[in-house]
Amino acid sequence: MVVIHKSLKINSDSKFQIVDITSVINKELASLNLSNGIVNVFSKHSTTGIVINENESGLLSDFKKSLEDVILSSNNYKHDRIDNNASSHLKAFLIGSSQSIPIIDNKLDLGTWQSVFFVELDGPRVNRTITLTFIGE
Amino acid sequence: MVVIHKSLKINSDSKFQIVDITSVINKELASLNLSNGIVNVFSKHSTTGIVINENESGLLSDFKKSLEDVILSSNNYKHDRIDNNASSHLKAFLIGSSQSIPIIDNKLDLGTWQSVFFVELDGPRVNRTITLTFIGE
Amino acid sequence: MVVIHKSLKINSDSKFQIVDITSVINKELASLNLSNGIVNVFSKHSTTGIVINENESGLLSDFKKSLEDVILSSNNYKHDRIDNNASSHLKAFLIGSSQSIPIIDNKLDLGTWQSVFFVELDGPRVNRTITLTFIGE
């Protein structure tokens, strides 16, 4: 059994952006001698999130709109007096900072329609950082 | 330290269904020589989720209704032009695909009022698959 | 590789309370001989949650208000006929019971603006219990 950390860097281009990181994680995994275990995908920011769902452009657009319906962009937020991005934080609270995914035979054990996404909620930003923690054998 | 994967299959009977899988997980765990560790419960679908809460029928009905209040069943979703189940995906985004639970003395370390649930959001379906990943010693 | 469980106890003072537990977790971690791995922070209650975000008092107040906007305090909930706390459970469903965080060099690998919070949704209560599961080497 081993633990291996890898760091991914992402530069985002717009306020809201959803980036499919499945192939990047599988590429890191392919470079490791790790057949079975788990990977934790953790975003080190409070205005981003990690989600798993289907990579279909219409659906990702629907997801953006649903978040905006649930968390209004401005709503007399107290945090906006300090830093004008309360709604970005509040969306991150709902989405969550990490996901853990099984690894079987050196591959992510995702379903046919599942991809792993990094969600930028307060871009554009440089050097958004994701820590991958692989645990297994 | 070991890693052990187990696969659970569930056939759902209706559009929305919430299935208590606590006893099934504990049964799998009882068959393993694993005293302490963690289990990741991962659903391999983008229109399902895993949640932990109290198994009280009224509450589970309230949960269904709350999801429907937050994510409308139709709302001019773009994904509905391709596959008429956008609201099922959007609920899954909110719920999340997995949960990780401590294992102490070969049992799930749940609180008195906690159960682990598989949530079907786009049933009925056959062979919904959950991967359990046990890590421990 | 080892697995170590630690139990944290929290007494909450009000109906809604958000408690920063980052330093408590780091203190537990400092007492362990564990350089690299992961910690799962799991709350053993169905009316509490664990979230990761920025510790800014205005933002935490905005978070409370957003939860109240999404989950109304009363809405003819069926669970309220049994136990008058349906909205607390429904908020817990959205937040989730646990988070997993990388450990690098015997420290939580959090970003600059990230703290780990226990969220009380149905206080005041004594002896709320959080299980920390450290896995690593």
Side-chain angles (χ1 to χ4, degrees), chain A residues 22-120:
Chain A
T22 315
S23 63
V24 182
I25 302 171
N26 267 323
K27 199 174 165 187
E28 291 285 354
L29 185 49
S31 75
L32 305 176
N33 184 17
L34 191 136
S35 295
N36 288 291
I38 207 160
V39 59
N40 177 260
V41 182
F42 183 86
S43 180
K44 295 182 67 166
H45 308 278
S46 52
T47 53
T48 67
I50 305 291
V51 294
I52 297 173
N53 214 286
E54 183 180 348
N55 191 348
E56 191 279 303
S57 62
L59 179 64
L60 300 182
S61 167
D62 295 335
F63 175 51
K64 177 177 186 286
K65 190 171 173 305
S66 289
L67 280 175
E68 289 165 354
D69 288 346
V70 175
I71 304 292
L72 299 178
S73 62
S74 68
N75 193 13
N76 200 25
Y77 296 124
K78 290 181 182 176
H79 187 64
D80 283 347
R81 298 175 199 167
I82 290 170
D83 198 5
N84 193 32
N85 64 354
S87 68
S88 305
H89 284 279
L90 296 169
K91 289 170 184 171
F93 269 110
L94 282 190
I95 296 177
S97 307
S98 75
Q99 296 281 339
S100 294
I101 306 153
I103 295 165
I104 299 183
D105 295 336
N106 195 243
K107 291 219 166 55
L108 292 176
D109 182 43
L110 296 167
T112 311
W113 304 104
Q114 286 181 311
S115 289
V116 186
F117 297 103
F118 168 80
V119 187
E120 172 63 78

Side-chain angles (χ1 to χ4, degrees), chain C:
Chain C
M1 289 283 292
V2 290
V3 176
I4 300 155
H5 297 292
K6 295 283 176 180
S7 185
L8 302 182
K9 298 286 183 183
I10 291 176
N11 297 333
S12 60
D13 302 322
S14 53
K15 178 78 176 177
F16 179 95
Q17 190 175 352
I18 187 156
V19 181
D20 190 329
I21 58 174
T22 315
S23 63
V24 182
I25 301 171
N26 267 322
K27 198 174 166 185
E28 291 285 354
L29 185 49
S31 75
L32 304 177
N33 185 19
L34 190 136
S35 296
N36 288 291
I38 207 160
V39 59
N40 177 260
V41 182
F42 183 86
S43 179
K44 296 182 66 168
H45 309 278
S46 52
T47 54
T48 68
I50 306 290
V51 294
I52 297 174
N53 214 286
E54 182 180 347
N55 191 349
E56 192 278 304
S57 61
L59 179 64
L60 301 182
S61 168
D62 295 335
F63 175 51
K64 176 178 187 286
K65 191 172 172 305
S66 289
L67 280 174
E68 289 165 354
D69 289 346
V70 175
I71 303 293
L72 300 177
S73 63
S74 68
N75 193 14
N76 201 24
Y77 296 124
K78 290 183 181 174
H79 187 64
D80 283 347
R81 299 175 199 167
I82 290 170
D83 198 4
N84 193 33
N85 64 355
S87 68
S88 305
H89 284 277
L90 296 169
K91 290 171 184 172
F93 269 110
L94 283 189
I95 296 178
S97 306
S98 76
Q99 296 281 339
S100 294
I101 305 153
I103 294 166
I104 300 183
D105 295 336
N106 195 244
K107 291 219 165 54
L108 292 176
D109 182 43
L110 295 168
T112 311
W113 303 104
Q114 285 181 311
S115 288
V116 185
F117 298 102
F118 167 80
V119 187
E120 172 63 78
L121 298 161
D122 197 40
R125 301 279 189 113
V126 292
N127 280 333
R128 290 300 212 178
T129 305
I130 296 165
T131 300
L132 305 178
T133 305
F134 297 92
I135 299 182
E137 56 192 7

Side-chain angles (χ1 to χ4, degrees), chain B residues 8-134:
Chain B
L8 301 182
K9 299 286 184 184
I10 292 177
N11 297 333
S12 60
D13 302 321
S14 53
K15 178 80 176 176
F16 178 95
Q17 189 175 353
I18 187 157
V19 181
D20 190 330
I21 57 174
T22 316
S23 63
V24 182
I25 301 171
N26 266 323
K27 199 174 164 186
E28 291 285 355
L29 185 49
S31 76
L32 305 176
N33 185 18
L34 190 136
S35 296
N36 288 291
I38 208 158
V39 59
N40 177 260
V41 182
F42 184 87
S43 180
K44 295 182 66 167
H45 309 278
S46 52
T47 53
T48 68
I50 305 290
V51 294
I52 297 174
N53 214 287
E54 183 180 348
N55 191 348
E56 191 279 305
S57 61
L59 179 63
L60 300 181
S61 168
D62 296 334
F63 175 51
K64 177 177 185 285
K65 191 172 172 304
S66 291
L67 280 175
E68 289 165 354
D69 289 345
V70 174
I71 304 292
L72 300 178
S73 63
S74 68
N75 193 14
N76 200 24
Y77 296 124
K78 289 182 182 175
H79 186 64
D80 282 348
R81 298 175 199 167
I82 291 170
D83 198 4
N84 193 31
N85 64 356
S87 68
S88 304
H89 284 279
L90 295 168
K91 290 171 184 171
F93 269 110
L94 283 189
I95 296 177
S97 306
S98 75
Q99 296 281 338
S100 294
I101 305 153
I103 295 166
I104 299 183
D105 296 337
N106 195 243
K107 292 219 164 56
L108 292 176
D109 182 43
L110 295 167
T112 311
W113 304 104
Q114 286 181 311
S115 288
V116 185
F117 297 103
F118 168 80
V119 187
E120 172 63 78
L121 299 160
D122 196 40
R125 300 279 189 114
V126 292
N127 279 333
R128 291 300 213 179
T129 305
I130 297 165
T131 300
L132 305 178
T133 305
F134 298 92

